[in-house]
Amino acid sequence: MHNATDPHSDSAGPDEPAPSPPVHYAEQALLGALLLTPDQLNTLDTLESGNFGDPSHTAVFAAMSALAPPEAAVHAKEPVWLNSVLDHARRQARGLTASYLHTLIRTCPDPEHAPAYAQIVRSEHARRTLRTHTNRLAQTATTPIEPEPATAVLAQADTLARYLDQLADQFAPHPGSLPRTPTPPEPPRNTGADVLDEERMLLATATAHPREMTRMPWLLPVDFALPVHTALFHCLTALNHRGEPIDPITVLWEAQHRGLLRDTSAQHVLNLLAIPAGSVEHWGENVLQRALLHQAHTTAERIRAYTEDPANSVHQLVTGSRRALADLTAIRTRWERTTSRTPGRSRAPRTTAATRASPPSTTAPGRPTRPSR
């Protein structure tokens, strides 16, 4: 039966919170074991108060860590340890009661299993922390920081990778290490006006100056946000690979052979290729950077799905997250290759912003720098 006076009672009524997760009971059992056998604190040196998810449990363990355990003979006769822990913990958790400390003791199945309970607490803390790193990666990718959003995203990806290395050292591997969590759908691409304008200008400028495409092996059709732009870049790269003439008409003919005109008109394709401006490499770098941010967002969503599946162990979280980061590493390699070769830009460390050069103009003086929309 639900105890209305116990804030940790989890028999939910119609308007009450959902039942507590298994780690809640592990936290209770661990604290109960330490209240019964405080000498076990010396065996849990890798556990910290911040590893607990419940604020009152955090306060209780912080109090235990700050206090000197009583002598065994004194502890066996008097509740000195419980009283000291309660008085100290109330500084952080004012609603904590002596009754709840006794509840912790009653819910501990076996005090000798304290190390196992501590491992459960550490595991769930690892899951929560990994989710926090993942959320930061997603936020950095979707709300980019100017003027170098890629630098900020890659720095956060490095922080996430370092945390995965820490977890790999702390938790032993085991068979069946791959998560079975279904892969979440890819988040939608950013198709704002600026994004589409940059892709259009890249296609038009590459059509007008096809030789510049030979300096861009790092840009792939998949980097484009709009499917029609992806298809047109396929056309350009195919013509360039075959050494055939490239202009709006030859690109249109290639588009027809690739079935692109089933979904769009010939005039629309010609309009997309009509107004070149700026440098092909400059627009290509912008397109690749947006693709990098999108892949970082996709990676973050995939890892977040792993952390939200309670069936995954910490080792499965590490293995699955590293595989997800590998997809980001692939596009990162292309990004670092192009930024190291762009004139006016120096190779920078992963977490240090570089200076972006202005794109050289390949258009006649007075020509518009943006197509009219």
Side-chain angles (χ1 to χ4, degrees):
M1 180 179 295
H2 172 61
N3 182 358
T5 63
D6 184 358
H8 297 86
S9 177
D10 66 351
S11 298
D15 300 321
E16 296 176 12
S20 300
V23 69
H24 175 78
Y25 303 103
E27 290 184 3
Q28 287 185 320
L30 174 60
L31 295 176
L34 297 177
L35 288 172
L36 288 169
T37 55
D39 56 298
Q40 290 199 84
L41 276 167
N42 297 327
T43 67
L44 305 176
D45 53 347
T46 61
L47 190 68
E48 301 176 357
S49 59
N51 295 161
F52 291 80
D54 188 299
S56 63
H57 296 169
T58 299
V60 171
F61 188 79
M64 292 178 176
S65 302
L67 298 170
E71 295 292 335
V74 175
H75 180 62
K77 296 180 180 180
E78 302 177 14
V80 175
W81 178 236
L82 272 69
N83 293 337
S84 299
V85 169
L86 179 61
D87 291 341
H88 198 283
R90 277 178 170 168
R91 299 174 187 177
Q92 289 183 252
R94 300 195 175 201
L96 194 64
T97 64
S99 172
Y100 187 62
L101 294 190
H102 288 284
T103 298
L104 297 177
I105 294 173
R106 288 197 305 271
T107 56
C108 178
D110 190 334
E112 294 184 1
H113 294 169
Y117 305 148
Q119 183 73 348
I120 295 172
V121 172
R122 279 192 291 263
S123 296
E124 195 61 25
H125 172 68
R127 182 191 306 276
R128 291 193 302 269
T129 305
L130 178 58
R131 187 181 301 126
T132 297
H133 284 299
T134 300
N135 290 340
R136 289 173 182 166
L137 177 61
Q139 182 178 10
T140 307
T142 54
T143 55
I145 301 173
E146 297 296 345
E148 294 288 346
T151 300
V153 163
L154 295 180
Q156 188 58 52
D158 286 339
T159 300
L160 174 58
R162 286 193 294 270
Y163 183 66
L164 292 174
D165 290 341
Q166 294 175 19
L167 293 184
D169 291 338
Q170 295 171 10
F171 294 87
H174 57 77
S177 58
L178 287 177
R180 298 179 181 178
T181 308
T183 302
E186 183 177 312
R189 298 289 293 258
N190 179 1
T191 54
D194 289 345
V195 176
L196 300 187
D197 279 352
E198 289 176 353
E199 293 187 356
R200 290 167 190 155
M201 281 187 278
L202 187 151
L203 295 170
T205 308
T207 301
H209 307 282
R211 289 185 180 180
E212 293 189 21
M213 292 183 59
T214 60
R215 302 197 296 268
M216 299 169 55
W218 37 263
L219 188 66
L220 302 179
V222 71
D223 297 329
F224 289 76
L226 201 66
V228 65
H229 296 167
T230 298
L232 285 175
F233 193 72
H234 267 297
C235 295
L236 281 165
T237 53
L239 290 171
N240 189 59
H241 179 73
R242 298 198 301 262
E244 298 182 11
I246 296 178
D247 63 30
I249 301 304
T250 60
V251 174
L252 178 64
W253 189 245
E254 181 73 15
Q256 175 175 293
H257 289 166
R258 289 175 174 267
L260 178 58
L261 300 187
R262 296 191 191 104
D263 302 318
T264 189
S265 68
Q267 187 60 55
H268 179 63
V269 171
L270 293 175
N271 290 342
L272 290 176
L273 306 177
I275 307 178
S279 162
V280 176
E281 286 188 89
H282 171 72
W283 301 128
E285 185 177 322
N286 288 359
V287 169
L288 181 58
Q289 179 169 241
R290 293 186 189 277
L292 173 68
L293 300 183
H294 175 72
Q295 183 57 56
H297 186 199
T298 301
T299 297
E301 292 300 325
R302 183 174 169 187
I303 298 175
R304 180 154 50 197
Y306 293 153
T307 66
E308 292 175 349
D309 184 353
N312 289 324
S313 68
V314 175
H315 185 66
Q316 287 175 310
L317 293 177
V318 171
T319 304
S321 298
R322 282 176 166 172
R323 289 204 172 192
L325 280 173
D327 294 334
L328 179 58
T329 299
I331 190 169
R332 174 186 195 150
T333 300
R334 293 193 285 126
W335 168 255
E336 292 181 338
R337 185 179 303 151
T338 181
T339 53
S340 68
R341 294 179 180 180
T342 301
R345 296 189 67 158
S346 59
R347 180 82 175 193
R350 288 183 173 183
T351 57
T352 303
T355 302
R356 185 186 298 272
S358 300
S361 175
T362 57
T363 58
R367 196 154 196 175
T369 58
R370 291 260 180 172
S372 58
R373 306 202 330 252

